[in-house]
Amino acid sequence: MLAMYCKKSSKNVQAKCQQMRERGQIKFFCRIRSMENDSDISCIKVLSDKIVSLTPPSTSVGFQTGNYREIHCLFHRVFEEDASQETVFEWTTIPLINDVFRGKSCLLFAYGLSGGGKTYTMNGEPRKPGIISRALDVIFNNIMHFQAEKFVFKPDKMNGFEVQAEEDAWKERQCEAHRTQRLMKYACRTDDAIECDQQAPCYIQLEGIDEDNIYAIFISYVEVYKNAVYDLLEDTRDYGKHKRLQGKLVREDRTHDMYVHDVVEVEVKSSKEAHEILYKGMCTKRKIFGSVTSGFSCSHSVFTIRIVQAVLDQFGGAPEQKGAYCVSKLCLVDLAGSKCTNYMKNTSQRLGESGNINNSLMTLKTCLEILHENQKLGMKKLIPYRDSKLTYLFKNFFEGESNIHALICVNPRAANFDETLHVMKFANILKEVQVLHQSSTVKSTGFPVGRRRANQMFQEALQKLEQDERVQSSDDICSISTAFPCLELKDPMDDKLIHNLIQFLEFRHEQYNLQRQNLVHKEKEFFEHLKAVMQKNFLAQHENTSLHDILDFETNKRIALEAKENEMESCAEQLRQELYNRSEAIKMVKQELMEKKMQLLWQVLENKQTAQKYHIKLTAEMGEVACSMEYLQSEQEARLKAVVVHEAQNGVEMLKKPLPLASFSRRKRSVTSPIISSEDENSTSAMA
């Protein structure tokens, strides 16, 4: 019972590990564009190679509503302003190309505002090629010697392929030579395209290339404009210069894979030929001219690379079985900017274009939100993929088995903070959505490894023998012993010749039987040895597959631990940032307290000095008042003395003069009067 329980528990653990290995998050990256003007203020700060922070400026809505806190965003990789095109390509696209050669379907799309650098990242410049050009260079540099002849694989217009015989493929190549020549004659050759032909090719060794496979590359280029799908490679030169492209239908094939019906899919055999087709589509692609930011695209462009690979047979030859091939694709998408209305003129056409763009991006966001709710809560809400041709075209990527990378392109200008915040919220939604990681669809056939090289060596050896004339005749090869004896019969009664011939033939027959037995014995030994080698090869492949599964499990476990570690690092970084902010606030408060204390001390000292000055001043003023009072008193006394003297003199003079009778009578009465005034007393005393 215990053994059965342990067996069941181990099966449950393996099933859970398998589910964890199959499902994973969408990897999303962030690229920050360089500032156009030195006077512009940036609202984005790179804290590490995976974390950025957004600081709301004073003109933002959050700052005006009282929300001043910084916003931290976590990515799988952050590319700063000085990051090169090659660095972005190696981190975002090389893993997807490796998965495509393993038979998986992959999607890479650039999302962001207008002016964020999406088109520059995807298409690049003549001296700085973008992701699409570099992807074509890497693919053809790795499979240059392993390609199938042209038209061996032919599209069947139903998102599938047919395997043609070599004779039919040769006829198709002869007919296509003239059409290709005319197509290249009318192809759009810009100065950028001519300069890009002279650029250095991108050499990066891929991991998923199998030397025993043959490959064929097919490319298509479409755009989604005003909720309609147009083929940019459609030939319209026979119908006039200004013929409008016809809209295409988005359909679902028998494997539930979405595709554009009746789209032109060109098989290319070199990077130069692929670039010619790419520039033809770029010339057809709609551009917005006459606006403030001339050249901004108002349509979603989708460049698809489909890789058809087939396993060679056991002798190193091309496969002849129908359906014995694997098809995988890589979609490189340049989404239009979500802020297109601010850059357009106020016309009905431009407003209609920007409205359709915003509606398609809003539908994409809504589909991802509902998909996340269904995955998180186990719900079965209907996801509105059909509301937009963009989401309907990428339905199988989000609901099927695929690998998805998202490149968020942002402009760090403070004036774009509110729109950049919406872009970061979209990235947060992408972080929560899980997709089913597709397992490798390229199956092993058990054939010996290196059979292509062995076949080439065998063919080279045969050619060398034919050139050196070392190929022997069939008689020499089949001879067992020496040449036949002389068979000339000179005498009809000569029995010796017949007897010698009989002995020679018997000996030859014995030698033949001995060599035949030896050959049978060697053949048995060879087949036994081959069987043992094939068995060892099968066991080694089985062990290799199990080791790959264990490695994938450990890799996913490591990725999960790294993601958890990144989250913990982000939390620790936030805590450190908060601790730093609080310590800075405490330092500022302490500094303010010290400044206030010093101000109070200075005020006290200044008040004390002012009081001393006032005391000294009052003391001096009181001394001056006392001196002035003494002076006034002395002066008053002097004046009184002068007045008394003057009065005394006047009295003496009046006594000397004779008085009239009336005055005498008055004086007499005054003398005889009992009441004597003080003046009279004073005068009397003065006289005395």
Side-chain angles (χ1 to χ4, degrees), residues 209-387:
I209 303 298
D210 190 354
E211 296 183 356
D212 293 325
N213 291 358
I214 56 173
Y215 300 92
I217 308 298
F218 294 83
I219 62 173
S220 61
Y221 200 10
V222 300
E223 72 169 353
V224 181
Y225 179 74
K226 288 188 176 181
N227 203 25
V229 181
Y230 298 96
D231 187 3
L232 297 178
L233 302 182
E234 185 177 355
D235 191 7
T236 58
R237 65 182 183 274
D238 295 335
Y239 300 93
K241 186 177 180 180
H242 301 287
K243 186 199 173 183
R244 303 180 66 179
L245 297 176
Q246 300 295 325
K248 304 295 182 180
L249 298 176
V250 179
R251 291 183 177 179
E252 186 175 1
D253 62 2
R254 59 183 180 180
T255 60
H256 305 289
D257 190 9
M258 309 306 298
Y259 71 100
V260 181
H261 180 65
D262 198 21
V263 69
V264 176
E265 199 166 15
V266 183
E267 183 179 4
V268 289
K269 291 299 177 183
S270 65
S271 178
K272 183 178 179 180
E273 183 181 357
H275 281 96
E276 292 287 344
I277 303 300
L278 173 63
Y279 288 122
K280 177 182 181 297
M282 291 175 64
C283 291
T284 311
K285 189 175 182 293
R286 289 174 174 81
K287 295 284 184 179
I288 303 302
F289 296 102
S291 59
V292 178
T293 55
S294 178
F296 278 99
S297 174
C298 264
S299 62
H300 311 293
S301 61
V302 182
F303 186 82
T304 305
I305 303 174
R306 288 218 292 174
I307 299 176
V308 184
Q309 53 183 317
V311 181
L312 297 176
D313 58 12
Q314 57 182 346
F315 301 108
E320 298 180 356
Q321 298 178 358
K322 293 184 178 181
Y325 57 86
C326 172
V327 182
S328 57
K329 65 179 177 180
L330 172 64
C331 289
L332 304 175
V333 185
D334 179 15
L335 296 177
S338 58
K339 191 187 170 185
C340 211
T341 54
N342 294 340
Y343 296 95
M344 304 301 166
K345 293 183 178 180
N346 190 13
T347 60
S348 59
Q349 181 181 359
R350 298 297 179 244
L351 291 177
E353 292 172 352
S354 59
N356 280 285
I357 290 170
N358 293 330
N359 289 336
S360 61
L361 295 177
M362 184 60 67
T363 305
L364 177 61
K365 183 178 179 181
T366 303
C367 292
L368 293 176
E369 288 177 349
I370 298 176
L371 181 61
H372 172 56
E373 289 181 2
N374 292 343
Q375 292 176 354
K376 185 177 181 180
L377 304 176
M379 304 174 65
K380 294 184 179 180
K381 287 186 179 180
L382 181 62
I383 303 176
Y385 289 114
R386 292 179 178 268
D387 291 351

Side-chain angles (χ1 to χ4, degrees), residues 418-516:
D418 295 325
E419 290 81 6
T420 304
L421 185 60
H422 290 296
V423 173
M424 294 301 178
K425 290 181 180 178
F426 177 79
N428 192 21
I429 295 173
L430 282 176
K431 179 181 178 181
E432 301 296 334
V433 175
Q434 293 184 347
V435 293
L436 189 63
H437 283 180
Q438 186 178 10
S439 59
S440 179
T441 57
V442 181
K443 299 180 181 179
S444 177
T445 58
F447 294 149
V449 181
R451 52 193 179 277
R452 177 199 292 270
R453 191 175 302 174
N455 189 15
Q456 291 178 355
M457 293 174 62
F458 178 71
Q459 296 295 334
E460 290 175 359
L462 286 180
Q463 292 178 2
K464 187 175 181 181
L465 288 174
E466 290 177 358
Q467 291 175 0
D468 296 342
E469 297 180 354
R470 295 178 181 177
V471 179
Q472 300 178 359
S473 63
S474 59
D475 295 336
D476 296 334
I477 294 174
C478 297
S479 64
I480 299 174
S481 62
T482 59
F484 279 83
C486 182
L487 301 178
E488 184 178 0
L489 186 61
K490 297 180 180 179
D491 188 1
M493 302 300 293
D494 189 5
D495 296 335
K496 188 177 180 180
L497 179 63
I498 303 301
H499 181 71
N500 292 335
L501 180 61
I502 292 172
Q503 288 182 351
F504 177 79
L505 291 176
E506 288 178 352
F507 176 76
R508 186 181 180 90
H509 183 68
E510 290 177 359
Q511 293 292 327
Y512 174 77
N513 290 332
L514 289 174
Q515 291 192 9
R516 184 173 179 277

